[in-house]
């Protein structure tokens, strides 16, 4: 392997990314410079096999790297995540003898950037249903019509992985997964991203007005509803693990900032000594550290299990949603404790901790949400509800 997460995302690169993060957030601007530097470093090919022009990293490597990147700029990491998810899916399939997405790996190795066009407003079925229509064409391709939300990397993606519902074919209904090109005239990207946090991700709404995926870019036609197809598993596993890594990275950075603040600030109550000597501040930071320490080992072990083809059987989905929920909820708790320990300065707009406080809230909106995750875990352990 030509580079490791630590050598590719070296401290100088991350410091430049961290310095730009506040400006992107303030201006609600896309992370153009960050993306250029990450692309030049080869980061977008991290999960692409060496023979396709990539670095050949494992999922565990990518998890470590995303934690590092998120500690510098959460929105940059979150948006890059969506490209890494697709290259991760290709890896998961390839590791299991399925070459369906080898074309994706080759294109990513040549510099194409993949967007994740799956989420839809009001679709709480996620991968198991769709409000988007997928209209079959005579040549085997499909035309997609619908609105996809939270499409991160909107200013930069060149290929969009998406899905829709075919309700007209003889074997309908089918959920159809395919890939479309950015230059398709039936793709519109709205300039509607103005959010509380994660602003640089520019996860805009994508409108598909009959956007075309040719037959060689249609990768699955599946029955609606829960499905253990390898593609669904690959999407689920890559998304949950890499997403959890972003939020684990936010928590780690918040803890570091709280420690720095405690050593720097002083207390009149304790005769000018640093707040690191204040028992209340010490307890709060210790509480954050205890929570943060539990996440990284769980996350890395599950990623290694995926890399090593460990068979968790029907518990795989439960384990994946569990680590996502624990990572996002832990990150929220750690950031909250860090803000409380660091004082009122974090309430000012220029505070990095204040920005992390806003960014970390996005974790509750990513699938699987808390309710869906608990349902998945209950079904895995107790079986489905009768009727």
């Amino acid at each position: 392997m030509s580079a490791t997460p630590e050598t590719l995302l070296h401290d100088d690169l991350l410091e430049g990314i961290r310095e730009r993060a506040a400006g992107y957030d303030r201006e609600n601007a896309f992370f153009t410079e960050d993306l250029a530097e990450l692309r030049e470093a080869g980061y977008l090919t991290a999960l692409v096999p060496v023979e396709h022009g990539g670095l050949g990293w494992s999922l565990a490597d990518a998890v470590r790297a995303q934690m590092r990147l998120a500690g510098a700029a959460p929105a940059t990491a979150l948006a890059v995540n969506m490209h890494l998810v697709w290259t991760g899916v290709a890896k998961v399939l390839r590791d299991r003898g399925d070459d369906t997405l080898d074309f994706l790996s080759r294109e990513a190795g040549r510099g194409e950037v993949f967007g994740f066009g799956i989420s839809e407003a009001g679709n709480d079925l996620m991968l198991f249903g769709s409000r988007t229509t997928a209209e079959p064409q005579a040549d085997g391709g499909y035309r997609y019509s619908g609105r996809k939300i939270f499409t991160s990397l909107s200013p930069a993606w060149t290929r969009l992985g998406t899905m829709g519902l075919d309700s007209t074919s003889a074997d309908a209904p089918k959920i159809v997964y395919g890939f479309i090109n950015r230059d398709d005239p039936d793709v519109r990207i709205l300039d509607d991203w103005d959010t509380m946090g994660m602003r640089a991700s520019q996860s805009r709404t994508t409108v598909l007005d009959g956007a075309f995926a040719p037959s060689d870019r249609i990768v699955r036609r599946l029955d609606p509803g829960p499905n253990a197809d390898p593609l669904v598993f690959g999407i689920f596993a890559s998304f949950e693990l890499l997403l959890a890594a972003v939020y684990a990275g936010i928590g780690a950075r918040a803890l570091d900032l709280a420690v720095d603040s405690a050593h720097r600030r002083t207390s009149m109550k304790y005769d000018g000594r640093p707040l690191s000597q204040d028992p209340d501040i010490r307890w709060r930071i210790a509480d954050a550290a205890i929570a943060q320490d539990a996440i990284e080992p769980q996350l890395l072990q599950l990623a290694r299990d995926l890399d090593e083809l460990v068979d968790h059987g029907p518990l795989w989905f439960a384990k994946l949603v569990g680590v996502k929920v624990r990572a996002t909820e832990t990150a929220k708790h750690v950031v909250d404790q860090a803000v409380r320990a660091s004082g009122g300065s974090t309430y000012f707009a220029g505070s990095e901790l204040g920005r992390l406080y806003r960014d970390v809230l996005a974790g509750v909106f990513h699938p699987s949400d808390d309710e869906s995750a608990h349902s998945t875990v209950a079904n895995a352990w107790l079986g489905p509800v009768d009727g």
Side-chain angles (χ1 to χ4, degrees), residues 285-338:
I285 291 177
D287 182 68
I290 289 168
Q292 180 66 30
D293 278 350
I295 289 301
E296 185 173 348
Q298 296 177 47
L299 185 51
L300 287 173
Q301 184 58 59
L302 200 57
R304 284 191 289 267
D305 285 356
L306 189 64
D307 288 324
E308 296 168 7
L309 279 63
V310 172
D311 183 10
H312 287 300
L315 290 179
W316 251 121
F317 287 90
K319 288 180 179 294
L320 290 164
V321 297
V323 79
K324 181 270 175 181
V325 168
R326 288 192 299 276
T328 53
E329 293 297 327
T330 297
K332 282 179 58 187
H333 175 70
V334 171
V335 173
D336 184 67
Q337 292 289 61

Side-chain angles (χ1 to χ4, degrees), residues 221-233:
R221 296 178 73 255
L222 301 173
D223 293 334
N227 199 312
D229 183 272
L231 179 75
V232 173
F233 174 72

Side-chain angles (χ1 to χ4, degrees), residues 45-66:
T45 70
L47 290 168
V48 173
V50 173
E51 59 268 29
H52 292 165
L55 299 178
W57 282 5
S58 66
L59 262 296
D61 292 327
V63 163
R64 291 193 353 252
Q66 281 296 88

Side-chain angles (χ1 to χ4, degrees), residues 202-239:
Q202 290 300 301
S203 306
R204 303 171 186 175
T205 298
T206 304
V207 181
L208 308 177
D209 293 317
F212 181 63
S215 60
D216 62 352
R217 294 297 181 264
I218 299 299
V219 296
R220 282 296 194 278
R221 296 178 73 255
L222 301 173
D223 293 334
N227 199 312
D229 183 272
L231 179 75
V232 173
F233 174 72
I235 293 172
F236 204 87
S238 298
F239 189 93

Side-chain angles (χ1 to χ4, degrees), residues 2 16 20 34 49 83 101 155 169 173 183 208 227 302 308 313 358 372:
S2 58
R20 289 189 290 266
D34 291 0
H83 172 85
L101 292 185
S169 293
D183 59 7
L208 308 177
N227 199 312
L302 200 57
E308 296 168 7
R358 290 183 288 108
S372 174

Side-chain angles (χ1 to χ4, degrees), residues 242-261:
L242 291 169
L243 184 76
V246 169
Y247 288 91
I250 292 174
R253 176 60 178 171
L255 180 58
D256 286 344
L257 290 172
V259 171
D260 289 345
S261 172

